[in-house]
Amino acid sequence: MQGAEPAGKLVLLFNTGASALDSGNDAILDQASRLYREGQPIIMMVSGSTDAVGQPAENLLLSQRRATAVVRGLIARGIPAERTQILAKGESNPAVPGQRGVPEPQNRRVEITWR
């Protein structure tokens, strides 16, 4: 699933329960790689999140798997691993407020920011 591009970050969206990247994310990863080469940030922060469906502990692990998959995609595009940092947020930082057990596609995401 492809995501939006808010100012200062890139967003990749995921299907329910999924942590694997799909081809729809290639353009965002390519853009992140290009932004890295053009700006040479000190670090690229890769933050994984989930919606509030499922158990919080499982969602925390899922958010870490999502962020790790994105970092692997960035490394495959030439970004040095030591220039990335993974943050697993689970369901703690929703993009869209919701109720427990209610799926929210915008919360199943990984955000890439840089500094």
Side-chain angles (χ1 to χ4, degrees):
M1 276 183 126
Q2 217 166 350
E5 181 187 333
K9 67 182 167 183
L10 300 174
V11 179
L12 297 91
L13 299 177
F14 288 81
N15 291 318
T16 301
S19 61
L21 295 172
D22 62 32
S23 61
N25 290 319
D26 286 344
I28 296 171
L29 291 171
D30 291 344
Q31 182 177 8
S33 176
R34 187 178 66 252
L35 289 169
Y36 176 82
R37 284 190 305 277
E38 291 171 358
Q40 289 294 311
I42 295 170
I43 194 98
M44 295 196 81
M45 308 291 290
V46 181
S47 304
S49 296
T50 67
D51 59 17
V53 174
Q55 297 299 312
E58 293 172 11
N59 284 338
L60 185 61
L61 293 173
L62 177 58
S63 69
Q64 183 174 5
R65 288 193 303 271
R66 288 175 175 167
T68 299
V70 170
V71 165
R72 286 186 183 134
L74 294 172
I75 291 169
R77 286 163 173 78
I79 294 176
E82 63 272 11
R83 297 291 186 162
T84 64
Q85 183 177 7
I86 292 175
L87 298 171
K89 295 183 176 181
E91 57 192 61
S92 68
N93 190 26
V96 177
Q99 296 180 345
R100 168 141 301 286
V102 178
E104 176 47 64
Q106 295 299 311
N107 291 338
R108 297 189 303 260
R109 71 196 189 284
V110 170
E111 296 178 356
I112 303 170
T113 57
W114 46 91
R115 58 177 171 93

